[in-house]
Amino acid sequence: MIPESHPRYRSLVTREQMAAGVRAGIVALEGLTAHGRGEAFDYLLGEETSASAAEAETVAALLLIHARHPVISVNGNTAALCAGAIADLQEISGAYVEVNLFHRTEERIVLITELLEKAGCTVLKGPVERHIPLDHDRGLCHADGIAAADVILVPLEDGDRAEALVQMGKSVIAVDLNPLSRTAQAATLPIIDEVTRAIPAITSAMKKMKSGAIHSEPPQIESRKYLREALMTIQRRLDHVLD
Ligand code: PTJ
């Protein structure tokens, strides 16, 4: 039992949630180390959404609005952390939701699909094929999902799929707390923010755009700007942390 008065209450509760995700077969054991790496970068970023990440989240909303066939790719960590937020984003964006796993087992696909459906998502099902030229199981995807997508949102993953998807001509929106990661470096639009802050922020930006009937052109994206600004945020924090 973690007392609410604990200064790291939220972080500790999230860790419990991830551990429960492992016990339930949703999160891969390796997902805990990925989470720990994310936590470390979030610490360095001040555990808040920077102005630059907020801008990237608005740009992501615009990309999704202009997408012909948007897909949200969900792995174990993302499902455990924010299944409900994914359902909200699917509702406003009309995006397909596809479960795509690095540590793929049929059992985990079923468990994660059930969790997402319980949260209100409609999840792609049926046969998958190796549409992405990768030697591991992240290459397996649905013909009417990631294979057909023009814009794909990939929250926290390992980088070679993001690279492969960009090479296939797709726009990749990555959510990753590590601005140095291969995913963040390869993405068309890197969002350097924590996934439970980033996904609701994209949803709320889309809601504002839709209610305001904003029909601006699909945005031009300078991806390295968001990486540079995240590194500068970390540098500024380190410069002043002992003051
Ligand atoms: O569920 P599976 O089988 O698909 O496996 C998922 C993991 C996450 C284990 C797999 O994709 C993996 O190994 O990922 P990596 O290579 O560890 O990359 C995860 C990235 O996400 C790292 O750069 C972390 O900094 C980042 N990250 C971790 N937690 C969060 C995060 N970014 C945003 N929000 C988080 N909560």
Side-chain angles (χ1 to χ4, degrees):
M1 174 72 185
I2 301 160
E4 276 184 48
S5 56
H6 194 289
R8 301 291 306 157
Y9 177 74
R10 193 168 179 277
S11 159
L12 294 177
V13 168
T14 308
R15 281 186 187 179
E16 296 250 300
Q17 203 179 331
M18 296 300 287
V22 170
R23 285 191 288 271
I26 303 281
V27 177
L29 202 48
E30 295 82 351
L32 294 181
T33 53
H35 180 75
R37 185 189 297 166
E39 272 189 329
F41 275 98
D42 207 19
Y43 226 114
L44 291 171
L45 287 158
E47 295 179 305
E48 60 183 17
T49 302
S50 66
S52 160
E55 182 188 307
E57 283 150 6
T58 305
V59 174
L62 262 179
L63 265 182
L64 288 169
I65 279 182
H66 285 281
R68 174 184 46 78
H69 194 110
V71 173
I72 306 169
S73 176
V74 180
N75 63 12
N77 287 43
T78 304
L81 288 171
C82 56
I86 297 286
D88 293 341
L89 181 56
Q90 180 178 42
E91 192 185 341
I92 186 98
S93 66
Y96 292 78
V97 168
E98 174 164 347
V99 180
N100 178 281
L101 302 180
F102 185 70
H103 305 283
R104 186 185 179 99
T105 63
E106 273 320 297
E107 194 195 353
R108 284 188 70 222
I109 295 276
V110 169
L111 288 168
I112 293 168
T113 300
E114 281 172 3
L115 175 72
L116 289 167
E117 285 179 341
K118 232 183 252 170
C121 295
T122 303
V123 183
L124 278 164
K125 288 187 193 146
V128 289
E129 277 177 56
R130 196 167 298 279
H131 292 287
I132 311 171
L134 292 172
D135 292 336
H136 55 75
D137 284 350
R138 269 201 184 281
L140 299 173
C141 58
H142 291 275
D144 50 349
I146 289 169
D150 57 341
V151 177
I152 307 172
L153 175 63
V154 295
L156 62 127
E157 73 162 54
D158 42 291
D160 54 348
R161 185 177 63 135
E163 266 172 54
L165 291 172
V166 169
Q167 269 165 23
M168 288 167 80
K170 300 173 189 295
S171 296
V172 173
I173 305 167
V175 180
D176 192 326
L177 280 159
N178 177 3
L180 302 171
S181 80
R182 287 183 53 183
T183 305
Q185 304 268 337
T188 316
L189 175 62
I191 298 177
I192 311 300
D193 199 4
E194 207 279 323
V195 71
T196 65
R197 296 195 298 266
I199 303 289
I202 299 170
T203 304
S204 102
M206 280 195 96
K207 276 188 188 150
K208 276 187 209 143
M209 284 171 196
K210 288 202 162 178
S211 64
I214 293 174
H215 295 295
S216 56
E217 292 298 302
Q220 292 294 316
I221 300 162
E222 202 214 315
S223 62
R224 299 202 79 73
K225 177 182 106 149
Y226 298 110
L227 303 175
R228 214 179 298 120
E229 286 175 354
L231 290 169
M232 279 161 55
T233 303
I234 292 175
Q235 193 178 344
R236 267 196 308 273
R237 265 184 66 75
L238 292 178
D239 280 346
H240 298 291
V241 79
L242 295 180
D243 294 349

